[in-house]
Amino acid sequence: MAQDGYYKIDFLLPTNQDWADGWVMGTGEGESFEPMDLTDCTFAMHVRRHAEDIGAVMILNSVNGRIGISGDPNEGAVAIYVPDEQVQRLAVGEYVHDIVMIDAGGNPKRFAVGTITVQ
């Protein structure tokens, strides 16, 4: 977890290929790991050059299909997919991001922050 209580997820992106990443949300570790039920959940991720920037250089969300549930919602898998031509619009360097999950009741919860390093 990051110092502010959120998970820290860092990404490394080459500029010459699609951005395809993913993780499984849940509780416990190893054999006691239980995936989270993501039924009716949506996701949003804002990518900014600096944390204090108001505007995002890239927005990923479940509506535009760039971040969302992957496969069976009961298995807790989340995937990111951004095609190469959109990744190439980012200048080489470091960016910051935050990821918000909106649960089935419409309640947003920020659960991850981190960096994106574009090479």
Side-chain angles (χ1 to χ4, degrees):
M1 286 220 165
Q3 282 187 316
D4 56 6
Y6 304 109
Y7 288 97
K8 181 153 175 49
I9 304 173
D10 296 325
F11 299 98
L12 178 63
L13 304 182
T15 57
N16 60 351
Q17 67 187 43
D18 296 344
W19 177 12
D21 263 306
W23 62 90
V24 177
M25 297 178 67
T27 58
E29 293 183 24
E31 292 193 24
S32 66
F33 181 80
E34 289 291 325
M36 180 184 293
D37 181 1
L38 299 177
T39 301
D40 297 326
C41 293
T42 59
F43 294 84
M45 178 180 188
H46 288 177
V47 178
R48 294 180 173 82
R49 190 60 146 159
H50 306 99
E52 62 275 4
D53 291 350
I54 294 172
V57 297
M58 184 181 286
I59 297 174
L60 293 70
N61 57 44
S62 296
V63 174
N64 67 20
R66 301 292 177 237
I67 185 172
I69 298 167
S70 177
D72 183 342
N74 293 312
E75 299 198 6
V78 178
I80 291 174
Y81 178 77
V82 179
D84 176 43
E85 59 270 8
Q86 290 187 346
V87 174
Q88 288 181 21
R89 294 179 189 162
L90 295 175
V92 171
E94 191 166 284
Y95 297 79
V96 296
H97 75 81
D98 64 343
I99 304 173
V100 174
M101 179 180 78
I102 300 91
D103 69 20
N107 304 302
K109 180 181 181 196
R110 183 175 171 202
F111 75 90
V113 297
T115 60
I116 299 170
T117 303
V118 178
Q119 295 182 325

